Amino acid sequence: MTIKLHCFGESGHSYKAALALELSGLDWEPVKIDFFGGEGRTAQFREGLNVMGEAPVMIDGAVKLTQSGVIQDYISEKSGKFGGCDAAERREILRWILWDNHKLSSMAGVTRFLMNFLPEDKQPKEVIAFNQGRLAGTYAVLDAHLAGRDWIVGDGITNADLTCCGYLYYPEPFGFDRREFPNIDAWLTRLSDTPGWKAPYDLMPGSPADRA
Amino acid sequence: MTIKLHCFGESGHSYKAALALELSGLDWEPVKIDFFGGEGRTAQFREGLNVMGEAPVMIDGAVKLTQSGVIQDYISEKSGKFGGCDAAERREILRWILWDNHKLSSMAGVTRFLMNFLPEDKQPKEVIAFNQGRLAGTYAVLDAHLAGRDWIVGDGITNADLTCCGYLYYPEPFGFDRREFPNIDAWLTRLSDTPGWKAPYDLMPGSPADRA
């Protein structure tokens, strides 16, 4: 049975799940959510797919899961990949997934949305500046952790890498310049050089070009 | 061996771990982090305890863990409590932990900090209003989920409850009024009526009173 991932290209949270599916070798296909048409706010979406109103949603037969970190956990169980090799690695991976949800992808996603998907005169400048200030500290934490390491946890790609990169390959500006963080820069290159890697708009349907 | 939780009373993220420890029945004690004195920013803290510069940090013999959700996972493994009864419940609990980190405690924590622990003339009003707008939608999601339920997942207290309540018992105002959300209100009462429950400033050292 083909796993279906309800997602859209602009969503870095969806990208985390889509990239994990793609690199896992599991059979999957994306189903586009018309997020910019308001689909996430409809009663049909909230009641049928996700009360949280968020992407992604994964359907695998009778199993329906939301939250990219939960979907990654399921992919790891099913494929045997990216979940770490023991309890200590599993917890270290979860640590970075939680940190990413709290400090990195959450802030980066909102800031990118405000700067690129709202009209210029609706952009809350003080909020954007505040978020960018917090994100600067966040990037520095990841960059410091990656000093002397190839991957965030252990000796290979894990869900820690596949969550933290969620918004870092997008072309739209939100204040992140990977050249300022050499360890992050090298890690992103390492990941994108991995066979099977694809950029967000090559992996999922929907992109800003659709609305141009 | 007594588990040590490095924490401080004002930290709702610490409270999630402290409350899980207290209700689990495990032997534990808090160790105060002088967060407002800048301890989280010191090299000693970052290198010795947590590169992320955050509370809480749990030490149990040779095991050092950070991120409240990871500590809760460890407490569940050690005590057999709050972790759900099967894989589906475990994933549903993780779903709410991730959502809380992304949308609820993260936003509530920052907004409460800005409104209560910064001088009036340093408070970024536009950021506070923006965060409160996002939080209104977040509370509504939790309130809708709790309709007809006693607990967030399954038939008893789990880590889903112990994470989402992180900032919701604090007395300092940040725009949350539990009376506006009857299902959240009833759930918070249900949890605080549980034998062994304690409020944040009764469970951990440090409170705004220390700096008054």
Side-chain angles (χ1 to χ4, degrees):
Chain A
M1 177 148 355
T2 301
I3 295 171
K4 291 194 170 24
L5 187 74
H6 295 254
C7 62
F8 60 102
E10 293 91 338
S11 162
H13 300 296
S14 295
Y15 180 59
K16 302 175 197 177
L19 187 59
L21 281 165
E22 186 73 9
L23 294 178
S24 74
L26 294 174
D27 182 30
W28 77 285
E29 64 184 25
V31 179
K32 185 181 170 182
I33 298 173
D34 184 14
F35 181 82
F36 288 90
E39 188 179 343
R41 291 190 301 272
T42 61
Q44 186 178 13
F45 186 90
R46 297 230 169 198
E47 287 160 23
L49 283 175
N50 187 3
V51 67
M52 296 165 178
E54 297 174 334
V57 179
M58 190 212 76
I59 310 275
D60 186 18
V63 177
K64 185 187 75 175
L65 297 175
T66 82
Q67 290 288 335
S68 59
V70 173
I71 297 171
Q72 289 182 340
D73 178 83
Y74 181 83
I75 294 166
S76 287
E77 187 177 302
K78 192 151 176 160
S79 71
K81 293 180 182 167
F82 314 136
C85 66
D86 57 23
E89 276 200 10
R90 189 180 64 72
R91 288 207 176 95
E92 182 66 3
I93 292 166
L94 177 59
R95 176 185 180 224
W96 286 97
I97 291 175
L98 290 165
W99 177 81
D100 174 64
N101 270 265
H102 185 171
K103 294 280 181 81
L104 178 51
S105 287
S106 49
M107 276 284 130
V110 167
T111 308
R112 168 170 160 274
F113 180 88
L114 297 176
M115 290 177 66
N116 295 277
F117 303 140
L118 284 187
E120 176 81 22
D121 62 348
K122 297 261 166 92
Q123 295 177 10
K125 305 297 179 194
E126 185 180 305
V127 175
I128 290 168
F130 179 82
N131 288 359
Q132 288 182 333
R134 296 199 76 204
L135 280 164
T138 298
Y139 305 139
V141 165
L142 181 58
D143 200 65
H145 177 73
L146 283 168
R149 294 176 203 265
D150 283 347
W151 307 104
I152 295 177
V153 178
D155 296 327
I157 296 173
T158 69
N159 290 324
D161 305 292
L162 300 177
T163 192
C164 288
C165 76
Y167 280 92
L168 304 184
Y169 289 115
Y170 279 99
E172 300 84 16
F174 58 92
F176 172 65
D177 181 350
R178 56 192 276 182
R179 291 167 301 184
E180 293 174 21
F181 301 95
N183 300 316
I184 293 178
D185 186 49
W187 162 75
L188 287 173
T189 299
R190 212 170 285 127
L191 186 55
S192 62
D193 280 348
T194 301
W197 178 89
K198 289 182 183 169
Y201 296 132
D202 297 329
L203 197 55
M204 300 179 290
S207 82
D210 300 345
R211 302 187 303 283
Chain B
M1 179 149 355
T2 301
I3 296 171
K4 292 193 169 21
L5 187 74
H6 295 254
C7 61
F8 58 102
E10 293 91 338
S11 163
H13 301 296
S14 295
Y15 180 58
K16 302 174 196 177
L19 187 59
L21 282 165
E22 185 72 10
L23 294 178
S24 74
L26 294 174
D27 181 30
W28 77 286
E29 64 184 26
V31 179
K32 185 180 171 183
I33 297 173
D34 183 14
F35 180 83
F36 289 90
E39 186 178 342
R41 291 191 301 273
T42 60
Q44 186 178 14
F45 187 90
R46 298 229 170 199
E47 288 160 24
L49 283 174
N50 187 5
V51 66
M52 296 165 177
E54 297 174 334
V57 179
M58 189 211 78
I59 311 273
D60 185 19
V63 177
K64 184 187 76 176
L65 297 175
T66 82
Q67 291 288 333
S68 59
V70 173
I71 297 170
Q72 288 183 340
D73 178 82
Y74 181 81
I75 294 166
S76 288
E77 186 176 302
K78 192 151 176 160
S79 70
K81 293 180 182 168
F82 315 136
C85 64
D86 57 24
E89 275 200 10
R90 188 180 65 73
R91 288 207 176 94
E92 182 67 3
I93 292 166
L94 178 58
R95 177 186 180 223
W96 286 98
I97 290 175
L98 289 165
W99 176 82
D100 173 64
N101 270 264
H102 184 171
K103 294 282 181 79
L104 178 51
S105 288
S106 48
M107 275 285 130
V110 167
T111 308
R112 168 170 159 275
F113 181 88
L114 298 176
M115 289 177 66
N116 295 278
F117 303 138
L118 285 187
E120 176 81 21
D121 62 347
K122 296 259 165 103
Q123 296 176 10
K125 305 296 180 195
E126 185 181 304
V127 174
I128 290 168
F130 180 82
N131 287 0
Q132 288 182 331
R134 296 198 76 205
L135 280 164
T138 298
Y139 305 138
V141 164
L142 182 57
D143 199 64
H145 177 74
L146 283 168
R149 295 177 203 265
D150 283 348
W151 306 104
I152 294 177
V153 178
D155 296 326
I157 296 174
T158 70
N159 290 324
D161 305 292
L162 300 177
T163 191
C164 288
C165 77
Y167 280 91
L168 304 185
Y169 290 114
Y170 278 99
E172 299 86 15
F174 57 92
F176 172 65
D177 181 349
R178 57 191 277 182
R179 291 167 301 183
E180 293 174 20
F181 301 95
N183 299 316
I184 293 178
D185 185 49
W187 162 75
L188 286 173
T189 299
R190 212 171 284 128
L191 187 54
S192 62
D193 280 348
T194 301
W197 178 90
K198 288 182 184 171
Y201 297 130
D202 296 329
L203 198 54
M204 300 179 291
S207 81
D210 299 345
R211 302 187 301 283

